[in-house]
Amino acid sequence: MIQTIPAPDNVVAFRALGEVTANDYKTIIAPAVKRLVEQINEINFLFLIDTEIENFTASAWLEDAFIGLKNFGKWNRAAIVTDSDHAISFTNAFSYVVPGNFKGFKKDAFEQAVQWVQGNSQKE
């Protein structure tokens, strides 16, 4: 399941718990991303992964890719917060091949991730 979590006005933020499905992306993430793009014409995205990566269904990953491609030129910053070193490495590498800045953070750096994704961090 995906939940919306509190975030600054220029950020959409979510928390993944348990099993994550395509429906979670379609009903929670996609509408929030669409609203943010309509408001500020860019995407600042924070995703706290509080479940195992294996709990994301294949259709969830496809929906994630679809949202990313649909909004390809709108990505500004995306912070992925997880304790998975593989997910953090992938996120950091992703920043080199797509528009926007993508950065992985450990869970204990959650507040730093919030500051970074909203653009208030001195560290890039």
Side-chain angles (χ1 to χ4, degrees):
M1 123 177 55
I2 294 177
Q3 303 172 326
T4 301
I5 57 176
D9 290 341
N10 69 329
V11 174
V12 289
F14 309 96
R15 180 179 185 198
L17 296 164
E19 184 182 56
V20 177
T21 68
N23 191 57
D24 294 319
Y25 278 87
K26 289 177 185 175
T27 61
I28 304 206
I29 292 180
V33 166
K34 182 180 179 193
R35 280 190 303 276
L36 186 65
V37 168
E38 289 170 353
Q39 291 171 356
I40 67 170
N41 201 35
E42 68 182 14
I43 302 167
N44 297 305
F45 183 92
L46 184 137
F47 198 36
L48 171 60
I49 301 174
D50 245 350
T51 190
E52 298 299 319
I53 298 297
E54 294 79 19
N55 287 337
F56 285 73
T57 65
S59 61
W61 289 119
L62 288 174
E63 194 62 31
D64 177 65
F66 176 72
I67 290 170
L69 289 173
K70 182 178 178 185
N71 299 287
F72 193 71
K74 301 294 182 182
W75 290 96
N76 183 42
R77 289 185 177 207
I80 307 303
V81 183
T82 177
D83 282 337
S84 166
D85 290 330
H86 293 297
I88 289 171
S89 294
F90 178 81
T91 299
N92 293 339
F94 201 63
S95 198
Y96 292 104
V97 295
V98 295
N101 296 302
F102 290 71
K103 189 170 182 180
F105 294 85
K106 290 284 192 175
K107 288 182 187 176
D108 63 0
F110 179 80
E111 290 304 320
Q112 180 186 355
V114 171
Q115 292 298 311
W116 179 83
V117 79
Q118 73 175 334
N120 289 340
S121 174
Q122 299 302 317
K123 294 181 181 178
E124 293 298 317

